[in-house]
Amino acid sequence: MMRNSLSAALAIISLAFPSAADPPPLEPVDETIEALLAQQDTNHDSLITTADQGSRLFFLNSHGKKPFLVEGTYRLGNLLQQLGAARREGKRQIQVTSAEIFLNPAQHVSFMIREYYWNWLTRTVDAKGLSRIVDDPKLAGAPARVYVPFGDAEAWKYYSTIASENPSLHVEAIRLPETVTPEFARSLNSAPGILALALVGDDSGALSGEPFVVPGGRFNEMYGWDSYFIALGLLADGRTDLARSMVDNFVYQIEHYGKILNANRTYYLTRSQPPFLTSMALAVYEKLPRTGESRSWLERAVRAAIREYETVWTAEPHLTPTGLSRYFGSGLGVPPEVEPGHFAPIIRPLAAAKGLTEAEFEKRYIAGMLSSPELDESLKHDRAMRESGHDTCYRLIGRAADLNTVALNALLYKYESDLASIIEQEFGGSITLASGDFSPDQLWKKRAQTRRELMMKLMWDEQRALFFDYDFVHAKRLDDVSATTFYPLWAGMMNREEGQRLARAALALLEEPGGIVAGTEESRGRLGAGRPPRQWDYPFGWAPHQMIAWRALVRCGLEEDARRIAYRWIYMIAMNAARSNGAIVEKYDVVARSIEASAEYGNVGSRFKLVPDGGFGWTNASYQVAWSYVSDADRESLGRLIPPEWVFGASRESQSPE
């Protein structure tokens, strides 16, 4: 009989590990890793997964006083992760602990995120953190450059000093001009670099960078909308100071770069991402003690959000004739961050028409030696799609800049209603801006009401009970079903009855075995040689859509639906982690409940050795947040539902100790 119960696990632990009075001996990290891989890693990928063959038995500390057995793919993978984490942190010997090896799979994922991954994904742009940031594969041997905003004299002095006093870093500090034009931003593509973020002084006056969490181990920059969802995970794990620092970095970006950047690299200077600042600041503020200092902190964040709202999202080129907003990156040329060949289907016929190779056409286009209105139009929409964060999907390809999207306008409604509430409750009904103007709560209430009316008129399909993006150029509503239909409900725009209609209609189309899918198969359309899979389309699911949907369902009183969707998501993550050496990835195939979700850029987080390199930021966060939605019975069942052979070994059933 299979034994997955807590009592059986404790009994196995008591047999395998010495008692507290006789603590386990120190294990040599490198030697044990090599022995473990030699015996168990039969496909030589430096992992222990269900793809490996042979016995799933390993005797740990066979030269010590009390050797003990570790069995099963899942437990051996946990052992390898514990050893890999020790090596990563510079330890040469460790006491292998039962707490990490014998946790049930669902708990083990949470443990790794809380104890290791947040720290591994944390970066700072300062003297201490630059060595990690400049050691970046995106630099490809180029000099490391830190670009400093024109108006921050303190930062300019700080980074100039680092560059001159630390020649081994090979860092160059460069000051940006007072005005950054699209033309200037494009000129930096030949000399890319990291953009400075906020600095903070300690009691002695020494400066250091405000820390932030990157999406995944291969990233070294702070991303826009990723950071909101990451912050929710940090707050769930009690990391309030780190979440607060991320808000401070966003405020700094608005004050010095004019917007929250897609990410703090030079090629993102002309592009923002979905606006979540008020939601992020409120989530942090709820965890802070109510003091004058915390209120002043919130006030600065509110002023920054108002500036962003008025100068970015409700100004040209983002404001459209409908009164609603659109995504629109104001850059020029080919986005330098795309993978090679991404635009080949567009460039190939244009190059052929001019008798050029694709490479020569692209080279001349980038250099400004030839013009192409067709390519200009395609890239305009591509930049808008990348600003939306949904890069890429067929819902937006070739038309993103022509759309009032549901997601963006629901987020702006959330800004308007958040600002109305904050100003009314925290600042007596009005807040004074840097310009000296007053911003009353009634103004924001009116703006929210106006936006709601416009969205209901242009985007709401009463018959289908769903929201759809609106093409303001052709004056028509699209019919692509997307997970973004949950955004207005999440933002508080719907009453309970309206919300339940929307939720049930959306779940009927978007709920899959692993959670909420990004869009329906019908909306995506047929794939083929000229129409490859896109990562924000069916059958893929992403953490932000899950977290938006859970909150939306709770808002309209459908707590059981939220519980079910959250359970499906974290079960899928735990199941895949158990079979794949702990892998936590950026996206999942939620139809097949698989990490085999390669599209466009692959699947970040699926390639590593020994131990995941921090998992993936918003997936980590979604996992930690999901525990507040699932029931006690769900928590108990999550461990039992992992196939027993992954836990105990395929060669025999696990037996309780004699």
Side-chain angles (χ1 to χ4, degrees):
M1 175 181 178
M2 295 293 181
R3 297 292 302 275
N4 282 16
S5 67
L6 179 61
S7 60
L10 291 173
I12 293 171
I13 293 170
S14 67
L15 175 71
F17 286 88
S19 67
D22 183 20
L26 291 172
E27 303 292 335
V29 171
D30 291 342
E31 178 183 328
T32 307
I33 287 174
E34 298 311 313
L36 182 59
L37 291 177
Q39 291 185 28
Q40 302 295 332
D41 178 24
T42 61
N43 63 357
H44 309 295
D45 61 358
S46 298
L47 304 172
I48 298 174
T49 73
T50 53
D52 292 305
Q53 304 297 317
S55 170
R56 302 286 83 186
L57 307 174
F58 181 76
F59 283 94
L60 189 62
N61 190 40
S62 58
H63 302 294
K65 296 180 181 179
K66 192 172 182 179
F68 58 89
L69 173 69
V70 180
E71 64 170 329
T73 297
Y74 165 67
R75 287 176 175 158
L76 291 168
N78 286 358
L79 173 60
L80 185 60
Q81 291 172 65
Q82 188 177 3
L83 293 163
R87 175 185 282 183
R88 180 187 175 99
E89 296 183 348
K91 298 174 182 176
R92 303 188 64 175
Q93 293 182 311
I94 61 166
Q95 286 183 338
V96 174
T97 61
S98 60
E100 294 188 35
I101 293 177
F102 288 90
L103 276 174
N104 78 48
Q107 292 172 331
H108 190 265
V109 171
S110 183
F111 171 84
M112 293 298 291
I113 294 168
R114 183 177 62 253
E115 298 299 325
Y116 295 107
Y117 296 167
W118 292 136
N119 291 337
W120 293 354
L121 294 177
T122 298
R123 306 283 189 272
T124 52
V125 186
D126 58 12
K128 182 179 179 181
L130 275 172
S131 60
R132 172 63 185 268
I133 288 176
V134 301
D135 184 21
D136 192 306
K138 289 186 285 294
L139 294 174
R145 305 175 184 88
V146 178
Y147 285 86
V148 184
F150 181 86
D152 193 345
E154 182 180 55
W156 172 242
K157 179 180 178 181
Y158 175 80
Y159 291 109
S160 298
T161 301
I162 290 175
S164 63
E165 294 183 355
N166 298 273
S168 62
L169 277 178
H170 304 291
V171 170
E172 181 182 3
I174 303 171
R175 198 169 196 174
L176 290 169
E178 186 170 6
T179 301
V180 175
T181 64
E183 291 77 15
F184 176 79
R186 180 171 61 178
S187 75
L188 296 181
N189 290 345
S190 60
I194 199 82
L195 300 173
L197 294 178
L199 297 171
V200 61
D202 62 17
D203 292 339
S204 69
L207 295 175
S208 61
E210 288 280 14
F212 57 94
V213 176
V214 298
R218 75 177 178 87
F219 296 95
N220 285 306
E221 54 276 308
M222 181 181 182
Y223 277 78
W225 73 317
D226 294 68
S227 294
Y228 166 64
F229 297 98
I230 289 169
L232 296 183
L234 293 172
L235 293 171
D237 280 339
R239 303 292 296 273
T240 303
D241 286 348
L242 183 50
R244 173 174 170 160
S245 290
M246 294 175 73
V247 173
D248 291 339
N249 277 318
F250 275 167
V251 171
Y252 179 90
Q253 289 181 33
I254 292 169
E255 292 175 348
H256 291 281
Y257 300 110
K259 63 177 72 69
I260 291 175
L261 302 166
N262 187 151
N264 62 311
R265 286 201 178 272
T266 47
Y267 43 79
Y268 294 132
L269 274 166
T270 58
R271 189 193 312 159
S272 187
Q273 272 208 322
F276 281 94
L277 180 56
T278 59
S279 297
M280 191 172 172
L282 278 172
V284 173
Y285 187 64
E286 288 173 0
K287 300 290 185 179
L288 298 178
R290 291 299 183 266
T291 64
E293 189 275 335
S294 64
R295 188 172 177 275
S296 295
W297 176 86
L298 179 64
E299 185 174 7
R300 184 183 174 210
V302 165
R303 288 197 178 107
I306 292 173
R307 174 178 171 181
E308 179 200 25
Y309 174 93
E310 293 182 341
T311 63
V312 178
W313 299 113
T314 59
E316 294 288 349
H318 289 91
L319 184 64
T320 72
T322 61
L324 298 174
S325 296
R326 65 171 172 173
Y327 290 112
F328 192 92
S330 59
L332 297 172
V334 178
E337 77 271 20
V338 301
E339 58 189 352
H342 181 86
F343 294 106
I346 301 171
I347 292 175
R348 189 177 298 121
L350 299 175
K354 292 185 178 294
L356 299 171
T357 65
E358 293 172 36
E360 184 62 24
F361 181 95
E362 186 170 348
K363 180 180 178 180
R364 293 188 184 187
Y365 178 80
I366 292 172
M369 297 169 62
L370 62 79
S371 61
S372 175
E374 301 96 325
L375 186 53
D376 289 345
E377 182 72 7
S378 294
L379 293 176
K380 176 186 74 173
H381 294 301
D382 184 83
R383 285 189 293 271
M385 177 171 58
R386 294 179 189 281
E387 186 170 75
S388 80
H390 291 80
D391 47 315
T392 64
C393 62
Y394 286 112
R395 174 173 61 91
L396 300 177
I397 288 174
R399 59 187 181 186
D402 293 345
L403 302 180
N404 296 137
T405 62
V406 173
L408 175 57
N409 286 281
L411 291 172
L412 294 177
Y413 173 87
K414 182 71 159 51
Y415 261 43
E416 291 156 351
S417 55
D418 282 348
L419 290 168
S421 176
I422 294 169
I423 293 170
E424 179 181 22
Q425 296 177 20
E426 300 291 336
F427 302 107
S430 183
I431 191 170
T432 306
L433 305 179
S435 63
D437 295 333
F438 294 100
S439 188
D441 63 317
Q442 293 301 320
L443 169 66
W444 295 100
K445 290 177 182 178
K446 182 177 179 180
R447 286 173 170 172
Q449 180 61 28
T450 299
R451 188 175 302 275
R452 183 188 188 282
E453 291 171 357
L454 286 170
M455 290 183 69
M456 295 300 292
K457 176 183 177 182
L458 299 177
M459 298 176 170
W460 174 248
D461 187 315
E462 176 64 26
Q463 184 175 357
R464 300 176 70 181
L466 295 171
F467 281 96
F468 295 92
D469 299 331
Y470 182 75
D471 183 335
F472 64 88
V473 173
H474 299 95
K476 66 176 183 178
R477 193 164 54 221
L478 303 187
D479 61 0
D480 299 72
V481 178
S482 167
T484 58
T485 197
F486 283 107
Y487 278 52
L489 179 53
W490 168 86
M493 213 177 85
M494 316 286 289
N495 63 37
R496 187 182 181 92
E497 181 181 350
E498 291 170 336
Q500 290 192 359
R501 282 192 67 216
L502 182 154
R504 290 181 174 126
L507 290 175
L509 296 169
L510 297 168
E511 182 177 355
E512 296 291 348
I516 299 297
V517 71
T520 63
E521 184 175 18
E522 180 183 9
S523 295
R524 180 202 66 189
R526 188 185 299 273
L527 301 178
R531 210 168 183 271
R534 300 297 183 181
Q535 63 179 358
W536 285 91
D537 279 330
Y538 181 93
F540 305 125
W542 293 76
H545 287 167
Q546 315 307 313
M547 298 168 80
I548 291 284
W550 303 338
R551 177 59 180 154
L553 291 167
V554 169
R555 266 192 178 272
C556 67
L558 298 180
E559 289 85 358
E560 281 302 303
D561 292 288
R563 181 200 64 76
R564 183 183 68 254
I565 303 300
Y567 180 85
R568 289 184 174 211
W569 178 253
I570 57 176
Y571 168 70
M572 177 183 63
I573 293 173
M575 179 181 68
N576 280 281
R579 70 184 301 178
S580 304
N581 208 128
I584 302 176
V585 295
E586 67 171 348
K587 59 181 175 286
Y588 290 81
D589 180 333
V590 293
V591 177
R593 292 194 304 194
S594 170
I595 62 173
E596 300 300 322
S598 295
E600 299 180 283
Y601 304 98
N603 203 2
V604 180
S606 61
R607 297 184 182 276
F608 57 92
K609 294 183 178 181
L610 306 184
V611 62
D613 191 18
F616 197 82
W618 60 22
T619 310
N620 297 347
S622 69
Y623 196 86
Q624 302 301 72
V625 169
W627 291 97
S628 66
Y629 288 92
V630 299
S631 67
D632 291 340
D634 290 336
R635 296 185 184 97
E636 185 69 24
S637 69
L638 276 164
R640 297 196 304 269
L641 288 176
I642 303 299
E645 62 269 22
W646 301 352
V647 179
F648 295 106
S651 60
R652 63 184 178 89
E653 291 187 343
S654 176
Q655 301 173 1
S656 59
E658 296 291 332

